[in-house]
Amino acid sequence: EISLGLVGSEMCIRDRKKDIDVVFLGQIDSYRNVRKPYLEFLFENSVNLYCFVGDKDDRCSYEKLYEVMSRAKIGVNFSMSGGVHQVKGRVMETMMTGGLLLEQRNNQTACYFSEGNDYVAFSSKEELLEKIIYQISMSRFLNSFSDIT
């Protein structure tokens, strides 16, 4: 059990079953609309994607965010915000809840974390889909193998 102090309150994250393949929690309005084609592409290709898109006034609660993130095998993050790449909180939230971070390729996250070791980067819709398919298939293989041994 991991305890996190968030906005003056204490939250707990328990080791939950990873029953969500891929999660995206964020915004796709205004200047963030470049994210929408990626998410639509994943849905068109039948990715098991839990997607909560809101605006600045319609965000999921921290409790719901950590409940969903802790159940996800993969968290998708887009670093471009306001015309520049940024290291967003979702990077740490995904890692802290035990999911694999699939991060839009950028030089900011690479300053703090090692691509290919700490996270997996993507540069296109096609590359994102390819990496999701690979990671999910490996996850299923490893889970079935661990059930046998």
Side-chain angles (χ1 to χ4, degrees), residues 20 22-26 28 35-36 39-40 42-43 48-54 68:
I20 298 172
V22 184
V23 66
F24 171 78
L25 303 172
I28 59 169
R35 301 169 179 180
K36 189 175 180 182
L39 300 173
E40 289 173 342
L42 296 180
F43 280 122
N48 178 16
L49 173 65
Y50 182 105
C51 191
F52 179 92
V53 293
V68 170

Side-chain angles (χ1 to χ4, degrees), residues 24-142:
F24 171 78
L25 303 172
Q27 299 178 36
I28 59 169
D29 61 339
S30 183
Y31 60 87
R32 298 175 199 89
N33 64 359
V34 296
R35 301 169 179 180
K36 189 175 180 182
Y38 283 83
L39 300 173
E40 289 173 342
F41 186 73
L42 296 180
F43 280 122
E44 290 166 6
N45 285 278
S46 303
V47 171
N48 178 16
L49 173 65
Y50 182 105
C51 191
F52 179 92
V53 293
D55 58 30
K56 65 179 182 166
D57 298 321
D58 181 29
R59 296 182 180 184
C60 67
S61 68
Y62 284 117
E63 290 84 1
K64 182 68 175 175
L65 181 143
Y66 285 108
E67 185 262 323
V68 170
M69 295 291 293
S70 67
R71 292 173 46 210
K73 296 171 188 162
I74 297 172
V76 174
N77 188 58
F78 298 93
S79 60
M80 182 64 74
S81 186
V84 296
H85 288 287
Q86 302 174 5
V87 178
K88 308 298 257 175
R90 196 71 76 232
V91 169
M92 277 61 88
E93 292 162 348
T94 302
M95 291 179 181
M96 288 173 33
T97 54
L100 171 68
L101 174 66
L102 271 175
E103 171 81 342
Q104 183 179 21
R105 186 167 277 111
N106 69 87
N107 58 0
Q108 296 300 308
T109 304
C111 286
Y112 300 99
F113 301 102
S114 172
E115 181 181 335
N117 186 35
D118 299 318
Y119 70 99
V120 175
F122 65 91
S123 297
S124 67
K125 299 181 295 189
E126 295 79 13
E127 185 181 15
L128 174 60
L129 177 62
E130 177 185 310
K131 291 183 175 186
I132 287 171
I133 291 169
Y134 175 78
Q135 294 298 331
I136 294 302
S137 68
M138 288 306 296
S139 167
R140 289 188 179 129
F141 170 75
L142 293 174

